[in-house]
Amino acid sequence: MGDVTVCLGFDFDAVSVWIHGYGAENSPTKLSRGEYGATVAVPRILDLLDELDVEATFFTPGHTIDSFPERAGDVHDRGHDVQHHGWSHRHPGSFESKEAERADVERGIESIRDLTGEKPSGYRSPAWDFSTNTLEVLRELDFEWDSSQMGHDFRPYYVREGGSADPDEPYDRGEPTEVVEVPVSWKRDDWPPFQYVSGADSQGGAPDEKQVFDMWREQFDWMYDHVENGVFPLTFHPQVVGQAPRLRYLESLIRWMREKPGVEFATIDSVAQRF
Ligand SMILES: [Zn+2]
């Protein structure tokens, strides 16, 4: 790997994010936004990644794999890494029991195994957060890494267990486990700045979309100059970044990062394995 590693991650939620994030079972328009991600956006993204010859990680809910098997198959066949993102894209804290949460994770593993022939090594929570049971479930099911937390910006670290955040006591961080964390950031995610959702609490919709990509370029440049062996994870949603002219801006950003000496693009799995 290079001195600096860029991890392009695509949360391939398709329709699942609308069902569980926005209760859209009866909203054909919202569901169609998810369909767009699978049917229109992903092919464009795969073509761009082919053209630039970079490998990415696709966090793909089992619901997406089982709903759009050909498209998920394209992602795998064209050389990208498919990793776990729940089966149902439910918030881990919304399950009524640990058993129910574990069953959803296991169902997601089976969808990926059917697609790739292999068990996923990594997990990204659909909510970018854990329940009180998630870490235990991941360890029981032999996950090697997670990519949902925010304890660093540009370096992997070990997920901790057994801490407590009692409001009346000093914070106890707990002890590190063997599960590697490759952290994410809302500031390196396309959904918050771009995705307008009618009636939702927080409204995306950047007036100057290029400015968002410029912000990511500035973040990358800062890391490049200040963090030795930095890791730069970016999160995109096909249904968001696949829209014009965002893919053009993404292409420029990738070319910008790639032109710097010592920069390599890698999957999140390979970063976690190296750590
Ligand atoms: Zn998601």
Side-chain angles (χ1 to χ4, degrees):
M1 283 195 193
D3 304 327
V4 163
T5 309
V6 178
C7 297
L8 301 180
F10 293 88
D11 289 8
F12 184 8
D13 300 333
V15 174
S16 67
V17 66
W18 296 104
I19 297 173
H20 284 292
Y22 298 96
E25 294 97 314
N26 299 313
S27 167
T29 298
K30 284 187 175 135
L31 297 174
S32 74
R33 296 178 74 170
E35 278 181 44
Y36 166 90
T39 59
V40 181
V42 166
R44 290 179 184 165
I45 290 164
L46 292 176
D47 286 347
L48 177 65
L49 296 176
D50 272 356
E51 191 188 323
L52 298 173
D53 194 24
V54 291
E55 188 182 354
T57 306
F58 280 72
F59 292 94
T60 311
H63 183 273
T64 296
I65 295 172
D66 297 350
S67 304
F68 302 97
E70 295 86 6
R71 194 63 74 226
D74 288 344
V75 170
H76 174 62
D77 293 344
R78 288 166 76 167
H80 302 290
D81 194 27
V82 176
Q83 294 289 350
H84 204 291
H85 195 42
W87 186 88
S88 64
H89 208 271
R90 273 178 67 174
H91 191 304
S94 73
F95 290 98
E96 52 280 5
S97 65
K98 179 185 164 191
E99 289 65 37
E101 181 179 352
R102 180 179 159 131
D104 190 80
V105 175
E106 287 180 312
R107 191 177 178 190
I109 291 173
E110 287 318 307
S111 297
I112 291 179
R113 211 198 297 269
D114 287 347
L115 179 74
T116 70
E118 285 176 34
K119 182 186 170 299
S121 54
Y123 173 79
R124 172 170 289 168
S125 158
W128 284 16
D129 210 347
F130 283 9
S131 73
T132 51
N133 299 310
T134 304
L135 181 56
E136 210 176 314
V137 168
L138 297 182
R139 296 176 81 188
E140 285 172 6
L141 296 173
D142 297 322
F143 279 90
E144 296 168 43
W145 55 270
D146 171 69
S147 183
S148 311
Q149 299 190 8
M150 306 186 185
H152 204 296
D153 38 15
F154 302 126
R155 284 190 198 284
Y157 61 94
Y158 289 106
V159 178
R160 289 171 173 263
E161 66 175 345
S164 80
D166 181 334
D168 296 321
E169 299 290 336
Y171 178 55
D172 175 0
R173 294 182 73 197
E175 296 300 322
T177 65
E178 73 295 342
V179 178
V180 176
E181 177 63 39
V182 182
V184 289
S185 168
W186 292 120
K187 295 300 284 182
R188 280 180 288 288
D189 177 2
D190 61 354
W191 191 282
F194 290 139
Q195 192 73 319
Y196 173 80
V197 183
S198 168
D201 290 342
S202 68
Q203 296 292 359
D208 179 355
E209 299 202 337
K210 188 167 177 297
Q211 199 177 47
V212 176
F213 289 84
D214 289 344
M215 173 185 73
W216 291 330
R217 182 171 49 74
E218 296 282 358
Q219 290 175 358
F220 173 80
D221 287 351
W222 188 91
M223 185 195 82
Y224 188 88
D225 291 340
H226 294 91
V227 182
E228 201 178 336
N229 301 123
V231 175
F232 193 73
L234 277 167
T235 300
F236 302 101
H237 296 76
Q239 57 193 288
V240 178
V241 81
Q243 300 190 35
R246 297 168 191 160
L247 277 183
R248 180 177 294 155
Y249 298 152
L250 176 60
E251 178 179 349
S252 302
L253 176 66
I254 292 172
R255 290 187 187 281
W256 171 270
M257 296 189 290
R258 202 167 61 168
E259 273 175 21
K260 297 214 174 197
V263 175
E264 182 166 5
F265 286 71
T267 61
I268 295 178
D269 182 65
S270 56
V271 166
Q273 302 301 339
R274 178 181 59 171
F275 184 73

